[in-house]
Amino acid sequence: MNNRTGSFLWNLRQLSTLVPTGRTMRLYPLAFCRPNIAYSNWNRRNLLNTFDNKMQSSIRYLFQDALIFKSGGDGCQTKGISTVTAFTVDKLLCPRRLSLDSKHFLASDNELKKSFHQEASDEDVLTKRRKPTLINSRKLSQECNSLSDVLDIFSKAPTFPSSNYFSAMWTIAKRMSEDQKRFEKQLMFNHPAFSQLCEQVMREAKIMYFDNLLFSLNAIVKLGIPQNTLLVQTLLRVVQERINECDEKCLSVLSTILNTMEPCKNVDVLLAGMRMLVDEQVWKIKHVFTLQTVMRSIGKDAPIGLKRKLEMKALKELDQFSVLNCQHMFAVLAAMNHRSVILLNECSKRVTSNIHGCPFKILINILQSCRDLQYINIDLFKGIADYVATTFDIWKLKKVLFLLILFENFGFRPVGLMDLFIKKAADESGFLNVKSLVCILNVYSSLNHFYKCQTHEFLGVMASALTGSLHHISSENLLNAVCSFCWMNHFPLALINQLLQKDVIDDLLTSGDVERNAHRLHVVAACLKLDDAPYRKDLDLALPRLPPTPSYPQPKVAAALSDLLGEGRFSQSVWLPHNYFIDFEIRMDNNRSQVLPFSDVDVVTATDIQRVAVLCVPKSAYCLDSTHPKGYLAMKMRHLKIMGFHVILVNNWEVEKLQMKDAVAFLKSKIYSPKALPAADTHLQSTC
């Protein structure tokens, strides 16, 4: 009895060390499986009764004909089997029922070894014979030369996941030219296996790994498959359901997808879900690239709290920013419509200090983003302009023109760069089309830029180039060109004669931006009458009256003039011919030493009067960071002088900073001539 009990306990201890680990493979609905390790809780009480049955059933299942191995992944396809259990055996296992007799157990040890190793070797042979061939998107893109080649491979032996096929096709498409890409896409849509691949992707959407799902959706969208198709909408719905599976990599891919897609119901729902996910996981984002991709995709209408949280995260990671990250930060903030001055200032410093070697496209994107965000940084603008001027010879003329157009939007006048451009544009005017010529004239007239003695030659070259395209130029472009010439006091007769044709004027006053066209026609008419234009002065264009320009009261300047000159010695808000407006008019003697009251003007000979126009000018009337007047202000000053006025410019922002006493002294120095100031002091004391 003791021997039997000892034998039983010894056998039991041996079985405890021989307990196998079970590996359960979960079979998906499409009959593809991925191994999941599951450790079973073994009960010693029923182990002896069930062990033999389990071993035999497991080995039987592994060798059934129902197991069909497919290429792709480490999975297997089965028919009629829901769970396959395979045991990994570290020690000797017996497929037969174990005896309680230790002697019998030990005697059969050699037989067990032989039988088990024989079965294991048979299984290895079968596995090697049926081991699937792994096919990934990178391998497919290397082996195939066209989109149809990928579909041909799919039609012969489909593998899981089918996302690899779409990813491979997009990789191949990126290597093609636009014409070839368009042709290959048409072949892809007409390929008989394409619809099968789409159906396969939809069936696998809920079971493939989430990153594969996102990669396939990204490739499908980039390949130009319409967004309103069942395929795209199905994948969008599945992504919505599985969005909680997003890690940082998936979040980056999802953000890229949302940036590409047009708004629709499923996209809007997915975007809302992603915003909630980002709000929860923003502090867990480790990579700056992922952070910027997410910031770019959350949209301009995202909650301000989320935008500020992302801004704080970006500021926290600022030390990790590379130069490229700083360059892209401008476009990122513009995409989310968030003007973070601190972040923009720090990125501007990094960009300016590492400007050399920066691609021209990035410079353009930075300026466009600054325009959208209404962000002005003089050092950044000067750094970009100086860099382009230094490397001027390597850039095409149209690229530099695009840069100048953006600078003109800010009112920034890069003198050195504009001087270089004048020389090159005069030499290469034949390579410029009408649109480029009109843009050049608009930039130089708006910024009121003249280059020494070469300006007249430059304007002549521009006029000749436009005259050669006179029959191809639209009415609006013709008006813009002539108006720019007039601002710069240059009058090409051929262009003006064409503009003043009745059919051209009727076209301008009945189509397009009629109010803007009418205002520009009034400017042209005023220039032809007032300036020294080689054109008849009796010209009378039947133009509609312009709406009154809103006038802004200047109470501080009016109070200072009252203290300086006294009541009744100046006129306020004066309208002049040609729709010109001046804030204050003062009448003085020719020496500008004495102010004349308006009641005494009629008895004074007209030649003894000097009319003084005081213009209260905002900062926007000057070029950025300078006192150089822009084109319209320069033309207005020129015309007022022709009309007999002495023009005084009073900067609004400077007067607002002054105390009343200082404002009076400032206006006094502006109104009276330097020679007449002592006499003016005596006159003022006598009138007080």
Side-chain angles (χ1 to χ4, degrees), residues 300-421:
K300 296 183 178 181
D301 57 341
I304 187 64
L306 178 58
K307 291 181 180 180
R308 288 176 178 169
K309 189 178 289 188
L310 289 167
E311 176 190 359
M312 292 173 62
K313 174 65 176 177
L315 289 172
K316 183 180 178 182
E317 301 292 334
L318 197 57
D319 293 338
Q320 307 297 325
F321 276 28
S322 65
V323 175
L324 188 61
N325 293 142
C326 293
Q327 293 169 351
H328 287 166
M329 200 67 223
F330 294 87
V332 169
L333 291 173
M336 63 187 294
N337 193 26
H338 186 65
R339 187 172 178 264
S340 173
V341 178
I342 299 176
L343 198 54
L344 289 169
N345 287 342
E346 292 299 323
C347 291
S348 296
K349 293 177 184 177
R350 294 281 297 277
V351 169
T352 305
S353 59
N354 297 275
I355 193 72
H356 293 282
C358 182
F360 205 90
K361 183 179 180 180
I362 291 182
L363 297 178
I364 295 296
N365 290 337
I366 289 174
L367 293 178
Q368 287 177 328
S369 302
C370 290
R371 178 194 60 194
D372 296 340
L373 294 170
Q374 297 181 353
Y375 171 73
I376 294 176
N377 190 308
I378 304 298
D379 293 333
L380 176 65
F381 296 165
K382 287 182 178 178
I384 294 175
D386 292 343
Y387 167 65
V388 175
T390 304
T391 58
F392 186 79
D393 293 334
I394 68 174
W395 306 116
K396 292 183 179 179
L397 200 62
K398 289 187 177 180
K399 287 186 175 181
V400 182
L401 174 59
F402 197 18
L403 195 74
L404 291 177
I405 292 172
L406 291 172
F407 279 143
E408 188 271 332
N409 291 335
F410 296 105
F412 178 66
R413 177 173 167 256
V415 178
L417 182 59
M418 296 184 75
D419 290 345
L420 291 172
F421 188 86

Side-chain angles (χ1 to χ4, degrees), residues 30-235:
L30 290 181
F32 295 101
C33 57
R34 295 181 182 273
N36 291 324
I37 304 301
Y39 296 94
S40 304
N41 294 324
W42 291 84
N43 191 339
R44 298 186 180 186
R45 182 172 299 175
N46 60 8
L47 175 63
L48 297 177
N49 297 327
T50 60
F51 183 78
D52 187 31
N53 293 334
K54 289 186 177 180
M55 281 296 303
Q56 292 177 1
S57 62
S58 300
I59 296 173
R60 183 174 64 252
Y61 283 161
L62 286 173
F63 289 89
Q64 273 185 341
D65 291 334
L67 263 174
I68 302 174
F69 289 88
K70 294 287 185 179
S71 60
D74 57 351
C76 56
Q77 181 176 355
T78 67
K79 296 180 180 179
I81 300 176
S82 60
T83 303
V84 176
T85 304
F87 295 100
T88 304
V89 182
D90 298 327
K91 295 188 177 181
L92 181 62
L93 288 180
C94 179
R96 297 189 296 244
R97 187 177 300 276
L98 294 179
S99 171
L100 295 178
D101 190 354
S102 60
K103 294 181 180 179
H104 178 74
F105 181 82
L106 293 174
S108 60
D109 189 22
N110 294 330
E111 297 179 5
L112 289 176
K113 287 182 179 180
K114 292 180 180 179
S115 62
F116 179 79
H117 286 300
Q118 180 65 32
E119 292 176 356
S121 62
D122 293 341
E123 182 180 353
D124 291 339
V125 172
L126 178 63
T127 304
K128 291 179 181 179
R129 193 175 298 170
R130 298 180 177 178
K131 187 175 181 180
T133 304
L134 295 176
I135 297 180
N136 54 35
S137 59
R138 180 178 298 180
K139 184 177 179 181
L140 280 173
S141 61
Q142 292 173 351
E143 293 178 352
C144 301
N145 296 321
S146 67
L147 309 185
S148 299
D149 292 345
V150 178
L151 292 173
D152 290 340
I153 293 177
F154 168 77
S155 62
K156 294 176 183 177
T159 61
F160 180 87
S162 53
S163 59
N164 288 332
Y165 297 100
F166 276 115
S167 298
M169 286 193 289
W170 169 235
T171 303
I172 295 170
K174 287 190 292 185
R175 301 195 297 252
M176 299 177 178
S177 63
E178 290 300 322
D179 293 338
Q180 186 181 3
K181 192 184 299 183
R182 193 180 304 110
F183 177 73
E184 286 291 336
K185 285 181 181 179
Q186 190 62 42
L187 293 179
M188 177 189 72
F189 290 134
N190 296 331
H191 197 282
F194 179 71
S195 59
Q196 299 175 9
L197 178 58
C198 294
E199 293 174 1
Q200 186 83 346
V201 170
M202 287 190 288
R203 286 197 299 268
E204 296 176 3
K206 291 189 177 182
I207 63 170
M208 68 172 66
Y209 283 144
F210 192 63
D211 57 348
N212 288 337
L213 174 62
L214 292 177
F215 283 132
S216 62
L217 178 58
N218 181 58
I220 286 168
V221 173
K222 294 292 181 63
L223 283 170
I225 297 176
Q227 188 172 314
N228 59 352
T229 55
L230 179 62
L231 172 63
V232 177
Q233 296 300 319
T234 300
L235 297 184

